[in-house]
Amino acid sequence: MKKFECFHPVSAGFFFLSMLLITVFSSFPLIQIFSLAGGIAFDITLRKGRGVLRDLLFDALFFAAVAISNPLFVHNGATPLFFMNGNPVTLEAVVYGVFISVMVVGVLFWCKCYNEIMTEDKFLYLF
């Protein structure tokens, strides 16, 4: 990825800004999944195994925590799976929790890639 580091800071900043905006504001699940996969692949190629496995483990735990906690607090949906303390845990809340997790972890990976590419000098040049 040495070629990507040689890009002008404006084009690299525009790339990362567009990837973050697409990841956050896209409501189509397939786009979010592709964005997450692209962020993971780009992070692996940038860092070449330096702590990637440790980060993947942390992100998997974070993914699970967000996906599990959403149905516990959000009870909207038409398909109850089971009741916990008198509150329904619905299928829609579980699916929405998984896609929120995909979005948040995808943003985390794109921010890690941004941190590797955009140095302090490039950031100062932008602003």
Side-chain angles (χ1 to χ4, degrees):
M1 283 294 127
K2 294 295 181 188
K3 296 281 185 186
F4 197 80
E5 292 173 354
C6 296
F7 283 177
H8 195 273
V10 172
S11 61
F14 180 74
F15 170 75
F16 285 113
L17 180 66
S18 64
M19 287 310 300
L20 287 174
L21 290 176
I22 288 171
T23 304
V24 170
F25 293 115
S26 173
S27 62
F28 190 59
L30 199 58
I31 292 175
Q32 290 179 349
I33 291 170
F34 283 149
S35 177
L36 174 64
I40 291 172
F42 193 47
D43 188 41
I44 288 172
T45 57
L46 277 178
R47 296 194 297 159
K48 295 188 180 20
R50 296 183 320 231
V52 174
L53 184 62
R54 181 178 45 96
D55 285 349
L56 282 174
L57 180 64
F58 170 76
D59 290 328
L61 291 174
F62 186 70
F63 181 92
V66 172
I68 290 171
S69 66
N70 186 59
L72 298 178
F73 297 108
V74 177
H75 307 293
N76 297 337
T79 313
L81 297 175
F82 59 91
F83 288 88
M84 180 180 286
N85 294 332
N87 293 320
V89 175
T90 61
L91 177 66
E92 291 83 1
V94 170
V95 171
Y96 192 68
V98 168
F99 285 120
I100 287 174
S101 299
V102 168
M103 179 193 64
V104 170
V105 173
V107 167
L108 283 175
F109 271 104
W110 282 114
C111 289
K112 289 177 193 176
C113 296
Y114 172 83
N115 195 27
E116 288 288 322
I117 297 292
M118 296 293 285
T119 61
E120 293 88 7
D121 295 336
K122 290 181 181 181
F123 183 76
L124 285 175
Y125 181 80
L126 282 177
F127 297 104

